[in-house]
Amino acid sequence: MSGAGSQNRPTKNERRDAAREKARVLREQQKRRDRRNRVLLQGGIVLGALAIVAVVAVIIVTSIKPAGPVPTAAKNDGFTVSAGLQLVGAPASASTPTPSATDPAAPAEPAPAETPAATETPAADGVEISVYQDFLCPYCGQFETTNAEQVKGWLEAGAATYTVHPSQR
């Protein structure tokens, strides 16, 4: 009876070898898990740092807006129209031709021209009207439509000067 049961039972050395093999397999699995976790952690840290850098770069780029081109008739941040519907401070004649888009000899960027000194508008006879507007704003358009004829009459009569300050979006 005891002899039949002992044949199926592994010896002490076989049990020890099986335990060592099982421990070796578990150690290898643990090494693989540790390596995978380390790579995932490092990758997550790198991706997080890149995301932070990207957000900071987007914030900086959107907050810094280059100054747009300013026409020569601009006074401070707007355009002044006086009697006879003439721009105050505009050059007397257009001596420099404006390059067209189809002109192959046209420079990529126009050369900066000297800005003439703005002339003061005669304030003794008229009122100065300053309008701050956004060209895409429907309410600004409504104001312009409603009051354009009246303001034009005042300007032609020399009773007022009209300064438009466009939005700097």
Side-chain angles (χ1 to χ4, degrees):
M1 187 176 217
S2 68
S6 66
Q7 287 179 346
N8 294 336
R9 186 173 174 190
T11 64
K12 186 175 182 182
N13 286 338
E14 290 173 343
R15 287 191 311 254
R16 185 177 51 225
D17 289 341
R20 284 182 181 165
E21 182 63 26
K22 186 176 181 181
R24 184 186 62 76
V25 169
L26 289 174
R27 277 193 306 270
E28 287 175 1
Q29 288 175 347
Q30 185 63 36
K31 274 185 178 180
R32 277 189 246 123
R33 249 184 275 139
D34 288 345
R35 192 175 318 136
R36 183 194 67 218
N37 289 344
R38 185 175 58 242
V39 168
L40 290 176
L41 178 65
Q42 290 172 347
I45 290 172
V46 168
L47 286 176
L50 287 175
I52 290 172
V53 168
V55 167
V56 168
V58 166
I59 290 172
I60 290 173
V61 167
T62 56
S63 68
I64 298 174
K65 293 184 180 179
V70 178
T72 57
K75 174 184 171 187
N76 295 331
D77 64 343
F79 305 92
T80 302
V81 180
S82 65
L85 300 178
Q86 297 295 317
L87 282 175
V88 175
S93 66
S95 59
T96 307
T98 305
S100 66
T102 59
D103 185 10
E109 288 289 324
E114 284 190 37
T115 305
T119 59
E120 291 297 318
T121 57
D125 293 359
V127 176
E128 184 172 330
I129 302 169
S130 291
V131 176
Y132 293 83
Q133 72 180 25
D134 180 356
F135 294 117
L136 300 176
C137 171
Y139 301 108
C140 297
Q142 182 182 6
F143 171 82
E144 189 69 29
T145 303
T146 305
N147 298 307
E149 289 301 318
Q150 180 66 46
V151 172
K152 185 177 178 181
W154 290 336
L155 291 174
E156 288 175 344
T161 58
Y162 186 72
T163 304
V164 178
H165 302 273
S167 173
Q168 297 291 324
R169 282 195 204 199

